[in-house]
Amino acid sequence: MEVRVFRNAEEIGQYASKIICDYVNANPSCVLGLATGASPVPTYSAMIAEYEAGRVSFKNVRTFNLDEYCDLPKEHKNSYYSFMVENLFSKTDINMDNVGFLDGNASEESESKRYAQAIKAAGGIDIQILGIGRNGHIAFNEPSDEFTDEAWKVKLTDSTIEANSIYFDDIPMPRYAMTMGICSIMRAKKIILIATGDSKAQAVRDMINGEVTPHCPASVLQRHGDALILLDEAAASLL
Ligand code: GLP
């Protein structure tokens, strides 16, 4: 694991965006694994700025998102699909035919197989962006007794529901989500995890300095050969 600490979220966004845009310029039809949540937004903003400045094109890039809520229409404003349209897709030349998303309303088994096959057919994920939950979750892989494999349907924990409920002002937050599994995430060639703020400090410490255990799913990244952890000072405060 390589750990870097920055003064603020914007600096992290600039740094992560440069890695991604340089990679896209060298490999225009590469495969990006994308995350939702507040953590990657400054990275997406910096990628949009590079696109607007004519320094990068995403038109041949393929993308796969980590997770999606169940029992929520894809077009609902709080779906992760809508989040990505708003924060990245609609503001760049990403071709929507090249965008991969889990369908939170499909049957778990067939959707899991479909997603694994689609990622494989695309050649695997080159760079996977990740955030981290306050309880150490990655994507929606909550703490549990074993590391998960391919995409699956998860019952969200109270901690995650509390953290994400603030985004749901019209309907109750869904209690289930479809998420890529830990093994599928670990297959990415490079992983960039972004964490900012005090509320992530304990999870960051457990991820980096704790034992590798599914009770802190992010700790599995200690076993990845190319995991880059980008933190602000608050998220790094317990290291
Ligand atoms: C959600 C997402 C995760 C994300 C996490 C942290 O639970 N499923 O992929 O990493 O929230 O979100 P934030 O970056 O908003 O703190």
Side-chain angles (χ1 to χ4, degrees), residues 131-138 142-143 157-167 196-204 206 215-216:
I132 184 171
R134 294 174 197 181
N135 58 5
H137 75 228
I138 47 176
E142 301 279 27
T157 62
D158 291 344
S159 152
T160 300
I161 290 168
E162 187 197 328
N164 292 7
S165 285
I166 53 163
Y167 299 112
T196 55
D198 294 340
S199 65
K200 303 293 175 68
Q202 185 63 48
V204 164
D206 293 345
H215 295 285
C216 175

Side-chain angles (χ1 to χ4, degrees), residues 37 100 121 123 186 188:
M186 286 292 278

Side-chain angles (χ1 to χ4, degrees), residues 35-40 66-67 80 130-133 137-140 160 164 167 194 200:
T36 51
S39 306
L66 285 169
D67 44 15
Y80 280 167
L130 289 180
I132 184 171
H137 75 228
I138 47 176
F140 269 136
T160 300
N164 292 7
Y167 299 112
I194 299 168
K200 303 293 175 68

Side-chain angles (χ1 to χ4, degrees), residues 5-194:
V5 181
F6 296 79
R7 274 179 303 186
N8 54 52
E10 283 61 43
E11 284 186 8
I12 296 176
Q14 295 290 340
Y15 189 84
S17 164
K18 175 146 181 30
I19 293 173
I20 295 163
C21 293
D22 285 351
Y23 193 84
V24 170
N25 281 328
N27 307 275
S29 51
C30 67
V31 181
L32 300 180
L34 301 176
T36 51
S39 306
V41 169
T43 301
Y44 297 152
S45 300
M47 288 164 65
I48 292 165
E50 285 300 286
Y51 163 70
E52 286 174 344
R55 289 193 286 266
V56 68
S57 167
F58 300 100
K59 73 174 191 291
N60 294 316
V61 164
R62 285 155 302 161
T63 71
F64 290 94
N65 260 80
L66 285 169
D67 44 15
E68 181 58 285
Y69 290 114
C70 298
D71 309 314
L72 191 68
K74 183 179 176 184
E75 312 296 343
H76 188 275
K77 68 183 169 71
N78 288 121
S79 73
Y80 280 167
Y81 177 79
S82 296
F83 177 98
M84 291 307 305
V85 170
E86 167 71 21
N87 287 288
L88 184 67
F89 298 157
S90 68
K91 294 172 178 156
T92 64
D93 60 350
I94 284 179
N95 178 350
M96 293 306 284
D97 291 340
N98 292 341
V99 163
F101 242 90
L102 280 162
D103 179 352
N105 299 308
S107 106
E108 179 181 10
E109 201 186 323
S110 61
E111 186 59 2
S112 175
K113 279 196 192 127
R114 180 194 71 80
Y115 215 53
Q117 279 164 4
I119 294 171
K120 193 172 173 194
I125 291 172
D126 293 303
I127 302 181
Q128 175 67 59
I129 301 172
L130 289 180
I132 184 171
R134 294 174 197 181
N135 58 5
H137 75 228
I138 47 176
F140 269 136
N141 294 283
E142 301 279 27
S144 72
D145 290 337
E146 53 190 19
F147 288 121
T148 55
D149 191 10
E150 303 298 335
W152 65 296
K153 183 172 178 173
V154 58
K155 185 174 192 327
L156 301 174
T157 62
D158 291 344
S159 152
T160 300
I161 290 168
E162 187 197 328
N164 292 7
S165 285
I166 53 163
Y167 299 112
F168 286 84
D169 54 9
D170 56 345
I171 55 165
M173 184 179 143
R175 267 36 188 173
Y176 290 86
M178 280 291 290
T179 179
M180 276 172 65
I182 295 289
C183 290
S184 40
I185 293 169
M186 286 292 278
R187 259 184 242 121
K189 293 169 195 115
K190 181 180 189 68
I191 290 179
I192 302 176
L193 183 143
I194 299 168

